[in-house]
Amino acid sequence: MVVRDSGRDSRSRTPRRSQTAPGASSRRNRSGASATNRVDRSVKSSSAKAQPRAKSAAVGQRRPTNRRPRPTADPRRPRTARQPQRSQRSAANTQSLWQNKTVRLLMLLVLVVAVGGSAVYLWMRSVENQPPPPNPAAGFEAVACEPGMVDIQLDKTTGKAGQPINFELTISNPEKNPPCYIDVGHQSLWLEVTSGEQPVYNAKVCQAGPANKQLLLDKGMKTVQQIQWDGYNSGADCQGKDLAQPGTYVAELLLDGKSALDRPTIFELN
């Protein structure tokens, strides 16, 4: 074992001479040149990569100008002179807007009042020009019965010579007429009896029966009244006391002095 160790020590301590083959030096030179070239290319590539970064950095930088940077709004700083001017302008604009609205509202109000007044005026004129409406009670207001307005009939019922003669008076108010009133007393409506040209009896002169007797006849209504002649030939002044003799007589009915019958009633006394 000792011999081996000593042998290793002696070989290690003795340097070996390197033996180079012919052409080895030229290969070394070529390898060194290629390494140098590789280093140069790597340096160029790194410099080329760095140039675009520099250009981009240069592009990102702004050109220096003479403008001052605009200061940002600071709420703690007091308002400048521009801010009151802006507020004044906005207040003036608001005031002018309200003034315009007020003027428009006033114009609209005047227009509405004018149109309403014209409509009321036209309506009042139309009301004035219209005829008055018919009075519902006008058809029920009583008027005086006239001879041509009502139908009057006189018929002899009973009686002989020397006896009282009874007549039946019928007064009818047609449906088309308004209500009317008539006085059947001897002051307004009376009986006259004649025989030829000789007056025999006059109820108004003799004052036979009641003087006044008012009757109200509604439209479509009729009334029947009894009239009596005492049967005496009293004459025109109602002074005669002789009984009427048998013969032909004519009875006439007068209303306010006018004949109330379409034709006189002719009758016979037996």
Side-chain angles (χ1 to χ4, degrees), residues 188-267:
S188 299
L189 185 67
W190 65 90
L191 176 67
E192 284 187 357
V193 179
T194 60
S195 177
E197 297 296 331
Q198 182 183 357
V200 176
Y201 174 76
N202 188 317
K204 185 175 183 179
V205 175
C206 295
Q207 299 182 359
N212 300 102
K213 187 179 181 181
Q214 287 278 354
L215 299 177
L216 179 62
L217 299 178
D218 197 0
K219 52 185 178 179
M221 183 178 177
K222 72 176 182 178
T223 181
V224 178
Q225 302 293 321
Q226 300 296 325
I227 298 178
Q228 189 181 60
W229 168 36
D230 58 3
Y232 284 88
N233 187 357
S234 55
D237 54 359
C238 199
Q239 296 298 322
K241 300 297 182 182
D242 299 331
L243 291 173
Q245 299 299 315
T248 302
Y249 294 85
V250 177
E252 182 70 35
L253 194 66
L254 299 177
L255 178 62
D256 294 331
K258 299 177 182 179
S259 177
L261 300 175
D262 294 336
R263 58 185 179 177
T265 301
I266 301 174
F267 62 95

Side-chain angles (χ1 to χ4, degrees), residues 32-44:
S34 63
T36 302
N37 292 332
R38 285 195 297 273
V39 171
D40 293 338
R41 284 196 297 272
S42 63
V43 171
K44 289 180 179 180

Side-chain angles (χ1 to χ4, degrees), residues 28-246:
R28 291 178 181 174
N29 292 332
R30 286 196 298 270
S31 63
S34 63
T36 302
N37 292 332
R38 285 195 297 273
V39 171
D40 293 338
R41 284 196 297 272
S42 63
V43 171
K44 289 180 179 180
S45 63
S46 63
S47 63
K49 291 179 180 179
Q51 286 178 0
R53 295 179 180 176
K55 288 181 179 180
S56 62
V59 170
Q61 294 179 359
R62 295 183 178 178
R63 293 181 180 179
T65 58
N66 294 328
R67 295 181 180 179
R68 293 182 180 180
R70 183 177 296 178
T72 57
D74 189 0
R76 293 175 297 177
R77 294 178 59 184
R79 294 184 176 181
T80 58
R82 287 185 178 182
Q83 293 176 349
Q85 292 178 359
R86 291 179 181 175
S87 61
Q88 291 177 0
R89 285 197 298 269
S90 63
N93 293 334
T94 304
Q95 186 177 3
S96 63
L97 181 62
W98 278 107
Q99 289 178 354
N100 294 335
K101 288 184 177 180
T102 304
V103 171
R104 291 177 182 176
L105 289 175
L106 289 176
M107 292 177 64
L108 181 60
L109 181 61
V110 171
L111 181 61
V112 169
V113 171
V115 172
S118 301
V120 171
Y121 174 75
L122 293 176
W123 177 76
M124 292 179 66
R125 289 293 301 273
S126 64
V127 170
E128 291 177 358
N129 294 332
Q130 287 181 356
N135 186 8
F140 298 94
E141 292 179 358
V143 296
C145 296
E146 299 292 337
M149 178 179 175
V150 293
D151 297 330
I152 301 177
Q153 294 180 359
L154 184 66
D155 298 316
K156 173 182 172 296
T157 56
T158 60
K160 295 180 180 181
Q163 297 179 357
I165 310 300
N166 294 317
F167 295 90
E168 188 176 77
L169 174 64
T170 303
I171 304 173
S172 301
N173 187 18
E175 188 73 25
K176 62 181 181 179
N177 294 338
C180 67
Y181 55 88
I182 185 171
D183 188 0
V184 295
H186 65 256
Q187 291 291 338
S188 299
L189 185 67
W190 65 90
L191 176 67
E192 284 187 357
V193 179
T194 60
S195 177
E197 297 296 331
Q198 182 183 357
V200 176
Y201 174 76
N202 188 317
K204 185 175 183 179
V205 175
C206 295
Q207 299 182 359
N212 300 102
K213 187 179 181 181
Q214 287 278 354
L215 299 177
L216 179 62
L217 299 178
D218 197 0
K219 52 185 178 179
M221 183 178 177
K222 72 176 182 178
T223 181
V224 178
Q225 302 293 321
Q226 300 296 325
I227 298 178
Q228 189 181 60
W229 168 36
D230 58 3
Y232 284 88
N233 187 357
S234 55
D237 54 359
C238 199
Q239 296 298 322
K241 300 297 182 182
D242 299 331
L243 291 173
Q245 299 299 315

